[in-house]
Amino acid sequence: MKVKLFVFLLISINYFGYGQIVVNEIMASNSNTIKDNAEAFSDWIEIFNIGNSTVDLNNYFLSDNPDKLDKLQLKSSTGRFQIGPKGFLIIWCSGF
């Protein structure tokens, strides 16, 4: 359930032509593949910017709960949460 809603939202945004980001890869049961910054094997989502311009995801949200769509806000200390053109971003799901 962790990534289903997020995947649905990204696919919907891209399908209707409002976005240029796609889910590129999902690791829903990371037991020994890649460690996060805390040296834990957390689940993760990799998103890809298919467009030719930078996308800012600052203040977008992730959730694994359809009743609370604003569960995790994507934000940074600089006010920018950007993916450059043809760039990738891994989001760790350790906070869910």
Side-chain angles (χ1 to χ4, degrees), residues 6-7 9-15 17-24 46-57 60-62 74 81-89 91:
F6 180 70
V7 171
L9 290 174
L10 284 181
I11 290 171
S12 297
I13 289 169
N14 193 51
Y15 177 77
Y18 298 118
Q20 56 188 22
I21 58 172
V22 296
V23 174
N24 192 58
E46 180 184 76
I47 55 177
F48 175 54
N49 178 357
I50 63 174
N52 294 319
S53 60
T54 299
V55 173
D56 189 355
L57 296 176
Y60 279 61
F61 295 90
L62 296 177
L74 300 179
F81 201 98
Q82 298 181 334
I83 307 172
K86 310 295 185 223
F88 296 87
L89 176 69
I91 299 175

Side-chain angles (χ1 to χ4, degrees), residues 25-88:
E25 192 171 351
I26 297 170
M27 176 64 72
S29 183
N30 184 17
S31 59
N32 64 0
T33 305
I34 302 172
K35 290 183 180 180
D36 62 15
N37 293 342
E39 296 294 314
F41 290 104
S42 301
D43 299 346
W44 50 268
I45 303 164
E46 180 184 76
I47 55 177
F48 175 54
N49 178 357
I50 63 174
N52 294 319
S53 60
T54 299
V55 173
D56 189 355
L57 296 176
N58 195 53
N59 295 320
Y60 279 61
F61 295 90
L62 296 177
S63 183
D64 60 353
N65 183 345
D67 296 324
K68 183 163 177 45
L69 297 178
D70 60 352
K71 188 171 178 180
L72 175 67
Q73 183 177 10
L74 300 179
K75 60 183 175 179
S76 74
S77 59
T78 64
R80 295 183 178 190
F81 201 98
Q82 298 181 334
I83 307 172
K86 310 295 185 223
F88 296 87

